[in-house]
Every structure is written in structure tokens, then in C-alpha cells.
Amino acid sequence: MALLTSDVDRFEKARPRLEAIAYRMLGSSSEAEDAVQETYLRWQAADTGRVEVPEAWLTKVLTNYCLNQLTSARARRETYVGQWLPEPLLAGDPMLGPADTAEQRESVSYAVLVLLERLTPNERAVYVLREAFGYAHREIAEILDIGEAAAQQLFHRAKKHIADGRARTEIDEASARRIVEEFLAAATSGRTEPLVRLLTQDASALGDGGGKVPARASAFEGARAVATFLRGLFKPAPAKRALVGGIPDIYAGIAGGEPAIIAVVDGRVVGISCLEVTPDGIVAVRSQVNPDKLHRATERWAAGEHGAPLYTL
């Protein structure tokens, strides 16, 4: 069924919000784009003249599609090679969605995206719709076809899971650069102690290579183990350069609201390490090196100016 121009315009107006919801739900830009495209196809097939509130209709279709994807994704991740981590998006990416409030910024922080993986699909949907987009519990209940009391209960349960994490520090560009510079100075010093001082005692480090780039199957745990691993990771070696197809330049940035170490080879982002910072120090270093999850970051990187690298690996 061909859509009227006005119907296409309605959808395109909703697209940025739909993409932001889908990214928070799925943790992947490509899967978010697929979800929005599927929503468009269903909009195209619908009797749009009978849709009273297009925004609500589109949100419901998208959310329920994402719920189905999350259910199947859990089965797929049982066979995923190594750790699965969300796809980090660089600061300013429109798919990050609204960032006007602390709640909105936190809802798309990399640390929270990792925590969202522990929620049930319905808990995740309620948390995203309520915390990031301000939907009322009544509206969420209609989207999920559940009672309003059930929606409230799901939200409180999800909120508690997220709140059980550590207090995080909001990061701006200047502080992100300072943190990354301090981290790199410690990591490239050739000694373990400078890194240990930056980490919390229960710090962890993990990476997602997707079976395409070597990454440890389990996380490193504890400040000294993490520091030892990171010291080796930032030591230049021909084998590492061969693996990524060149000499990586290291930059500071922000990804998922966290200070990020961005490794770039000939304009291609080959790794993003997000540093979860708390008042007590760096509690987690999460590295995304799966090339399938770095395409959008590479596109975003190519569109900006970055100056000289902080370090060459």
C-alpha cells in the first residue's frame, strides 16, 4: 500500500525518536535501524487513516518488535563467541537520543546499557520508555498490553537493578580528555602501580571481539589483574598492528557518556574502550573491538575533526 506524503512525513518526523528507543532497547545501531525499517513497513501496510495517534502507534509497533528481538537475541548470545557488549556510540550521535536531563543521559550511558542486559525484556522496555522518554505508566501499559500497576512494578524493579550499580560521574569533553590522558600515562608507563592507583580494588576489564578479534572469554577481576592486563594491552607489538591492519593512533573521546580511548587505523575505528568512572576510581574498562560493532563509530569519526593523537600504539 502506497503511503500518502503526509504519512511518510509523519514517520520521518518520528524516526529519530524511534531509532533512539530501539538503540537503547537493543544495544546495537544496525539492529535499531532494522527495527525502525520493520516499523516503517508495518506503517506502510496499515490503514493509517484509522490511526488516531501515529506516535503512539509507531512506538507500540517498534517496542513490541524490539521485545521479540530481545527474546531471540538471548538465545543467539548463548552461542556468541566470548563476552557480548553493547555497541558504543560516540558523543553527538543522534541515535543516542535526548540528553536534556541527568536521567536521559544515564539511560544511554555505556555502564547502564550493560546493566540493561540483566533485565527482562519487559523491564528493559519500561525503563527505557519511562526514564529516557518520559512516557507515563498508563501509556507504557498500553504499549505493552499490560495493566498500569504492572507497568509501575516493572519500572521500580528495573530502577532498583540499575540503582544497585555504583554512583557514576557525569563527564564533559574536557574531563574525559583529562581522565584518558592520565589513564594512558599510567598504562604506557611500563609499570603496574600507576594503573592500580587509578582503579578501584574490585575493578574489572572485559572485551568483545565477537570471535573476529581475540578477546578473553572471561573478565579480568581486581585492580592488580586488570592493571597487569592493561599494561600489556598498551605495549606496542608487531602482532597487534598486523591484527588491526596498521599502526593504531589513540585518541580521547566520549562514548556512551563515558571517557573513551578510541583506537583508529587509517580513519577506521578499530577499538573503543569505555572507562566507567566512579568517585572511588575507574571501576570497569569495557573494550569493543568487534569490527561489526564499530561501523557507525567509524562513520561518525570520519565526519569530525580530532587533532593529533595522544599516543601511537
Side-chain angles (χ1 to χ4, degrees):
M1 183 183 297
L3 289 176
L4 298 174
T5 300
S6 58
D7 291 329
V8 174
D9 289 344
R10 286 192 187 97
F11 186 87
E12 291 306 320
K13 184 178 179 181
R15 182 185 291 275
R17 179 179 54 82
L18 296 175
E19 287 187 344
I21 291 172
Y23 171 69
R24 283 171 164 86
M25 287 283 291
L26 302 172
S28 162
S29 68
S30 61
E31 290 181 15
E33 289 169 347
D34 290 344
V36 173
Q37 179 61 21
E38 181 63 29
T39 303
Y40 177 76
L41 293 176
R42 297 186 188 185
W43 177 244
Q44 190 176 42
D47 184 355
T48 56
R50 301 183 64 181
V51 177
E52 295 182 4
V53 186
E55 178 184 290
W57 190 96
L58 292 169
T59 303
K60 180 167 185 169
V61 170
L62 176 88
T63 302
N64 282 283
Y65 178 83
C66 288
L67 288 173
N68 290 335
Q69 292 301 105
L70 281 173
T71 301
S72 61
R74 296 197 171 196
R76 292 197 305 272
R77 287 171 196 168
E78 289 180 3
T79 60
Y80 191 83
V81 179
Q83 296 276 346
W84 188 95
L85 287 174
E87 176 182 348
L89 297 185
L90 300 180
D93 192 312
M95 195 175 278
L96 291 168
D100 300 324
T101 67
E103 290 78 14
Q104 288 172 336
R105 291 190 292 274
E106 179 169 278
S107 72
V108 78
S109 74
Y110 203 61
V112 168
L113 286 176
V114 171
L115 289 173
L116 287 176
E117 288 296 310
R118 304 178 187 177
L119 305 182
T120 67
N122 273 1
E123 286 172 345
R124 185 165 184 160
V126 170
Y127 181 84
V128 167
L129 292 172
R130 177 68 176 169
E131 198 77 347
F133 297 91
Y135 281 84
H137 288 299
R138 173 185 54 78
E139 295 172 306
I140 295 171
E142 291 173 358
I143 289 169
L144 298 180
D145 291 323
I146 59 177
E148 187 172 345
Q152 291 175 326
Q153 186 177 35
L154 284 168
F155 176 70
H156 291 311
R157 199 155 59 216
K159 184 85 170 175
K160 183 179 185 304
H161 283 306
I162 301 301
D164 283 345
R166 299 167 185 269
R168 282 167 287 278
T169 304
E170 288 210 40
I171 300 296
D172 59 21
E173 188 174 341
S175 57
R177 184 179 179 89
R178 176 183 55 77
I179 290 166
V180 170
E181 286 178 338
E182 187 177 8
F183 179 89
L184 283 175
T188 59
S189 68
R191 297 182 294 123
T192 303
E193 288 307 321
L195 273 169
V196 171
R197 288 195 291 269
L198 295 180
L199 302 166
T200 62
Q201 285 304 304
D202 58 348
S204 64
L206 64 162
D208 178 348
K212 300 183 177 183
V213 174
R216 182 181 162 102
S218 58
F220 290 91
E221 302 283 354
R224 190 157 295 278
V226 170
T228 301
F229 161 69
L230 292 172
R231 187 184 65 184
L233 182 66
F234 285 93
K235 184 177 180 180
K240 294 176 186 175
R241 294 173 177 176
L243 186 65
V244 296
I247 300 174
D249 289 325
I250 307 298
Y251 296 83
I254 297 176
E258 296 180 352
I261 300 158
I262 304 168
V264 181
V265 174
D266 297 329
R268 177 172 49 91
V269 176
V270 297
I272 299 176
S273 295
C274 296
L275 309 179
E276 184 182 351
V277 180
T278 73
D280 298 324
I282 297 171
V283 69
V285 181
R286 301 184 178 96
S287 299
Q288 184 56 261
V289 292
N290 183 346
D292 292 343
K293 298 182 183 181
L294 295 170
H295 293 308
R296 190 177 178 95
T298 294
E299 292 174 1
R300 183 79 190 172
W301 186 262
E305 295 290 335
H306 310 289
L310 296 179
Y311 184 71
T312 298
L313 192 58

